Amino acid sequence: WGIFAAITLVSAIACSSPPEAEFEASSGGGPVPLEVTFTPVEESDDTSFFWEFGDGMTSDERMPTHVFQDAGDLVVRLTATKGGSEAVSMRTMRLEPGEPGWITVEPSSLELLSGERVQIVPSAFDTLGNPITDAEFMWSASGAAGEVLADGTFIAGPNVDVHDRAITVEFERLGGKASLDLPVSIQYGDLDSIVLDPGSINLRVNNRLDLNVIARDAQGHVLPEPDIELTAIRGVIDSILPGGEFVAGTLPTQSEQPLVLVEVTVDDETITETIRGTITEGILDRINVTALSEEIAVGNEVTFEVQAFDRFGNLLSLDSIDWELVDDSYGEIDTEGRFVPGGAAVSAAGPLITAIGELESVLAYAEIDLDVQPGPATAIVINPAVDSVVVGAGNPFGALVLDDFGNVIEDANVIWSAADGGAIDATGIFVAGFETGDFPGAVTATLPAGASGNSEEISASVDLVIRDRSSDMLAVEVSSATDTGIIIIDLVTSAIRSLADELDTNNGVEISPAWWPDGQRVAFASDVTGTLQIYDVDIDTGKIRQLVDVPAGSSMPAISPDGSKIAFVVPDDVWHVYVADLPEPDENGDISPITLDQATRLSDDDSVQNLLPVWSPDGTMILFTISTTIRDVELFVVPADGSEAPRRISEAAYSGFAWSSDGEFVLVVDNLSGGAQNLLVIDVASGEVHGFVPLPFEAFTAAWSPDNFEVAVVDRLTGALWLLDSDGSSLRQAVTRDFIPRNPAWRPVPIDAEAVLASLEEPAAA
């Protein structure tokens, strides 16, 4: 194990032998740590020893043991002293590195770009830190990090990340092994390119598209968190939402053009690009149709043009346009939109032509209202053609001016004239005189030549029958915003007055007028005392007297045809119909009010409200109405003497108001279908509908004139009071003031039953 040399220095001293410095070592060298025992040759007890081991350590033991830890050639020096003499001996120890300890590398930290190379220089040490210069290193690398060559050259892979054990280097020695794991941080490179997804934009107006921008380095890595700025190039038309969503405006582009400016910045590098594209119109929303000429007349051709739009008003080009005519009798229209009206003129309230546009399988419709002007006037039709008018009454006439095809010429103005029987104004309202009889050709309508394209004058006439009135007055209950009372309408003079001056100032409410059979007095109900009671008044003198006095109140009076009895209703919790004899008046015309114990109850159903008693013409029967939320409304008749129970004469949902003069029929308001526009005539014996009076409105209440030729009707919706003949003709408004009428009552005079039945229409005629 090594070479050692000994040098002996001897000092000769008189009278003694010199010291001996030679020594032996248990080992001449080897791997550290190495334990060596040194033994001197000198055995004399008077000799001292001082050892220097070459590593800075010393000993004065005679035979020391020393552990060497530093590798290299170390010189061990022994100084032997005896007496005054010294001897020195030296030996070189050849010490080698020991077992593998650790490895260091240069560089010690690796931060690389993908594909970058670096030479790694390793250094080996034993366990005591002694460098090992002859170590043979072995290299390995994880596939995710990259590749390492046998000489320690590392090539970074593509995976950007911190790879904790990317590289391993190791060496073996003396049966042991040392290794080192190196982390590698593979980093992104500088901004090199950007990827736009999508690379172009193709949208409809007002649609949206997500824009994605990817930044890459030269190695193709997607760079994290680049600074991306998107700007809509068309300014206020388009917009970019915070999340990168592109919102197309409502204005299309004419062609492909730049739409979005893209700016991407990473550190100090910036790349700018634009996204081009096209914004097209929206889907078909509507079409507009216009005519090339404004007027359409019989036989004249007109061409229609169609424009199509999306919902933002952008003009579209249709794939196709189809035309449909509602009725072929109106004319013909071809595929190009050319319309030729038929032989007859048309003035239609609804559309006559439908245009159907199609674009990309989406349809849009436009309806065309046509007004095809009629031809020249050739005839006049007066409505009604034949009429019956009471003396002094007014009756409106209308005239239809027609062309050869029967089309009405709306703007034609006829000239009215009356030959006899009365007078007619410019609007066609005829007012009968006071001479009764038949008047042939009484009313004439004339259209002057050239007035409506007619070359000659055209005229038409109607015959009239003027008859006597059966009643000259109506008593009517009316309501205003602040009061309810009764008025009298003079049908001859058209005068309106209150029932009595005293009633105008008594702060009471007066309702339900009913005439005495002599037509001189009117019975009514008033709450002037706080409770409804029945009174009557002389229409000439205004004298008022009380007829009924019942604690619960009384209302809805009806005087018998002979004036001897009164029927009325007591408005208690359940309303009932009563009848009582009227007392004889004293010398002043006064009577004692009737009390409830003097009356007989005629209605017998305590579960309903019994209302509106009406006497039959012979005074033997009373018609009344019952009302309940369960059965709605029904009509009953009962003998006036109470000898029999009430008998129902109608189906549900009627209201009765008058008898015919022969007592066989009653006039009722039809409410069966929620307000049908008819007054019905019901047969009392069978309950069947005998006839009807057609109305242009819904009736609320109604009354027959004594001769049954006229009907007074209150309009349910407007509250207006109308008069008309029993055949539905001669409709005229009776009250035009600012109050609402109800419950009209005709002043009674003798009537002709045969005439009224002859005027009724059979239901089948409806």
Side-chain angles (χ1 to χ4, degrees):
W1 286 93
I3 302 171
F4 61 96
I7 301 175
T8 302
L9 301 177
V10 179
S11 298
I13 302 176
C15 298
S16 65
S17 59
E20 179 68 44
E22 295 293 331
F23 61 89
E24 295 179 352
S26 60
S27 174
V32 294
L34 181 64
E35 183 179 86
V36 180
T37 301
F38 295 95
T39 304
V41 177
E42 177 71 48
E43 295 183 354
S44 174
D45 293 336
D46 56 356
T47 301
S48 61
F49 300 92
F50 181 74
W51 299 87
E52 295 175 274
F53 299 114
D55 56 4
M57 303 298 291
T58 62
S59 175
D60 57 0
E61 295 179 2
R62 176 181 179 84
M63 190 170 61
T65 297
H66 182 67
V67 178
F68 291 93
Q69 298 187 24
D70 296 334
D73 291 340
L74 298 181
V75 176
V76 178
R77 179 186 178 95
L78 174 62
T79 300
T81 304
K82 182 177 165 179
S85 300
E86 290 183 351
V88 177
S89 177
M90 292 182 293
R91 176 176 296 204
T92 300
M93 301 292 293
R94 182 65 53 83
L95 299 172
E96 299 177 355
E99 294 181 355
W102 64 85
I103 302 172
T104 62
V105 294
E106 183 63 34
S108 59
S109 176
L110 298 178
E111 294 182 355
L112 306 174
L113 300 178
S114 176
E116 187 176 355
R117 290 171 173 256
V118 64
Q119 178 67 53
I120 303 172
V121 179
S123 297
F125 298 89
D126 65 10
T127 58
L128 298 176
N130 296 299
I132 301 174
T133 58
D134 59 349
E136 295 183 0
F137 295 100
M138 295 171 288
W139 299 87
S140 63
S142 68
E147 177 186 4
V148 65
L149 304 180
D151 64 353
T153 299
F154 177 71
I155 305 169
N159 298 318
V160 174
D161 201 352
V162 175
H163 303 274
D164 292 332
R165 305 182 65 174
I167 304 170
T168 299
V169 58
E170 59 185 7
F171 72 93
E172 296 180 352
R173 179 181 175 82
L174 301 177
K177 180 185 292 186
S179 65
L180 175 65
D181 292 326
L182 299 178
V184 174
S185 175
I186 300 177
Q187 300 178 334
Y188 294 104
D190 295 334
L191 176 64
D192 180 74
S193 63
I194 61 174
V195 178
L196 305 178
D197 180 25
S200 62
I201 294 173
N202 185 12
L203 287 179
R204 291 188 185 273
V205 291
N206 204 47
N207 282 4
R208 301 183 176 197
L209 180 67
D210 286 327
L211 300 179
N212 298 301
V213 181
I214 299 173
R216 296 185 183 276
D217 61 13
Q219 291 75 37
H221 296 119
V222 177
L223 299 178
E225 300 182 359
D227 183 9
I228 300 173
E229 184 174 351
L230 304 176
T231 304
I233 295 176
R234 294 202 301 169
V236 296
I237 299 176
D238 307 321
S239 60
I240 306 291
L241 298 182
E245 189 177 28
F246 174 79
V247 181
T250 59
L251 184 65
T253 61
Q254 299 301 315
S255 60
E256 184 182 89
Q257 65 182 64
L259 295 177
V260 179
L261 176 65
V262 182
E263 293 180 280
V264 180
T265 301
V266 177
D267 296 331
D268 295 330
E269 296 291 330
T270 299
I271 294 178
T272 300
E273 290 190 19
T274 58
I275 303 177
R276 298 175 62 84
T278 304
I279 306 301
T280 58
E281 297 82 359
I283 62 174
L284 177 62
D285 180 71
R286 70 183 190 279
I287 59 174
N288 292 344
V289 180
T290 56
L292 296 185
S293 61
E294 295 183 357
E295 293 187 1
I296 302 175
V298 173
N300 291 345
E301 178 182 303
V302 62
T303 300
F304 295 104
E305 287 189 342
V306 176
Q307 287 185 313
F309 303 91
D310 64 14
R311 68 187 183 97
F312 305 105
N314 296 309
L315 192 63
L316 305 175
S317 296
L318 292 171
D319 293 336
S320 64
I321 179 72
D322 292 328
W323 302 90
E324 292 182 358
L325 197 59
V326 173
D327 191 328
D328 291 341
S329 65
Y330 295 150
E332 297 180 353
I333 188 167
D334 64 14
T335 57
E336 302 300 321
R338 287 187 294 269
F339 173 67
V340 179
V346 178
S347 180
L352 296 184
I353 298 175
T354 300
I356 307 170
E358 181 176 358
L359 177 60
E360 299 175 351
S361 300
V362 178
L363 301 179
Y365 298 80
E367 295 178 331
I368 306 168
D369 297 334
L370 290 184
D371 186 4
V372 180
Q373 299 300 318
T378 58
I380 298 175
V381 176
I382 299 177
N383 182 35
V386 179
D387 206 354
S388 171
V389 183
V390 295
V391 292
N395 189 74
F397 284 94
L400 297 179
V401 178
L402 309 177
D403 66 4
D404 270 342
F405 303 99
N407 299 299
V408 176
I409 302 174
E410 297 291 346
D411 57 353
N413 294 316
V414 299
I415 299 173
W416 293 97
S417 61
D420 204 354
I424 192 167
D425 67 9
T427 64
I429 297 178
F430 175 80
V431 179
F434 290 89
E435 180 183 356
T436 61
D438 296 337
F439 295 89
V443 173
T444 300
T446 302
L447 187 68
S452 295
N454 50 309
S455 58
E456 298 179 354
E457 180 181 278
I458 304 170
S459 65
S461 299
V462 296
D463 302 332
L464 290 181
V465 175
I466 300 177
R467 66 179 191 274
D468 284 327
R469 280 190 177 275
S470 62
S471 177
D472 60 348
M473 290 186 184
L474 279 173
V476 183
E477 175 189 324
V478 294
S479 296
S480 66
T482 59
D483 196 10
T484 297
I486 297 171
I487 62 171
I488 291 180
I489 304 174
D490 190 318
L491 298 175
V492 177
T493 65
S494 299
I496 297 177
R497 66 180 177 86
S498 63
L499 189 58
D501 294 341
E502 180 181 338
L503 300 178
D504 292 339
T505 58
N506 67 356
N507 295 321
V509 170
E510 283 74 46
I511 60 174
S512 302
W515 289 91
W516 281 73
D518 61 2
Q520 184 60 37
R521 304 183 68 86
V522 176
F524 60 93
S526 175
D527 68 349
V528 67
T529 63
T531 302
L532 277 175
Q533 299 293 353
I534 296 174
Y535 303 82
D536 75 351
V537 62
D538 187 304
I539 62 172
D540 291 335
T541 66
K543 181 178 179 180
I544 299 173
R545 59 187 183 180
Q546 186 171 354
L547 302 181
V548 181
D549 187 5
V550 176
S554 58
S555 184
M556 300 181 182
I559 308 298
S560 65
D562 62 3
S564 65
K565 298 180 183 295
I566 182 171
F568 58 92
V569 170
V570 175
D572 209 342
D573 292 338
V574 175
W575 293 32
H576 276 291
V577 176
Y578 289 80
V579 66
D581 293 332
L582 283 165
E584 289 292 333
D586 60 18
E587 63 274 9
N588 297 319
D590 296 325
I591 61 174
S592 298
I594 299 168
T595 60
L596 195 60
D597 57 3
Q598 297 173 305
T600 300
R601 195 176 87 174
L602 299 181
S603 54
D604 60 359
D605 191 342
D606 292 332
S607 66
V608 298
Q609 305 297 343
N610 303 273
L611 312 168
L612 301 171
V614 183
W615 288 89
S616 64
D618 61 5
T620 62
M621 304 291 288
I622 292 179
L623 170 75
F624 69 96
T625 303
I626 68 168
S627 176
T628 172
T629 55
I630 299 175
R631 286 180 288 177
D632 202 7
V633 176
E634 297 180 359
L635 293 184
F636 281 74
V637 292
V638 61
D641 60 5
S643 60
E644 297 179 11
R647 175 175 61 89
R648 188 178 68 183
I649 66 168
S650 80
E651 297 296 329
Y654 290 100
S655 296
F657 296 99
W659 291 76
S660 65
S661 59
D662 59 6
E664 295 183 6
F665 304 96
V666 291
L667 179 69
V668 304
V669 175
D670 174 15
N671 289 323
L672 279 174
S673 56
Q677 295 172 336
N678 285 310
L679 294 176
L680 301 184
V681 178
I682 303 295
D683 187 298
V684 175
S686 66
E688 296 179 354
V689 177
H690 176 79
F692 69 94
V693 179
L695 299 177
F697 49 76
E698 295 180 17
F700 179 57
T701 57
W704 245 340
S705 66
D707 64 358
N708 297 145
F709 270 107
E710 291 182 272
V711 182
V713 185
V714 176
D715 185 338
R716 177 186 297 274
L717 298 181
T718 66
L721 177 61
W722 298 85
L723 300 180
L724 70 159
D725 288 354
S726 294
D727 62 0
S729 65
S730 301
L731 181 68
R732 51 205 179 273
Q733 192 165 359
V735 177
T736 58
R737 296 192 179 184
D738 295 332
F739 44 60
I740 300 173
R742 55 173 71 90
N743 298 328
W746 293 86
R747 189 179 187 183
V749 295
I751 58 175
D752 183 352
E754 293 183 1
V756 64
L757 295 181
S759 70
L760 296 173
E761 297 185 51
E762 291 298 324

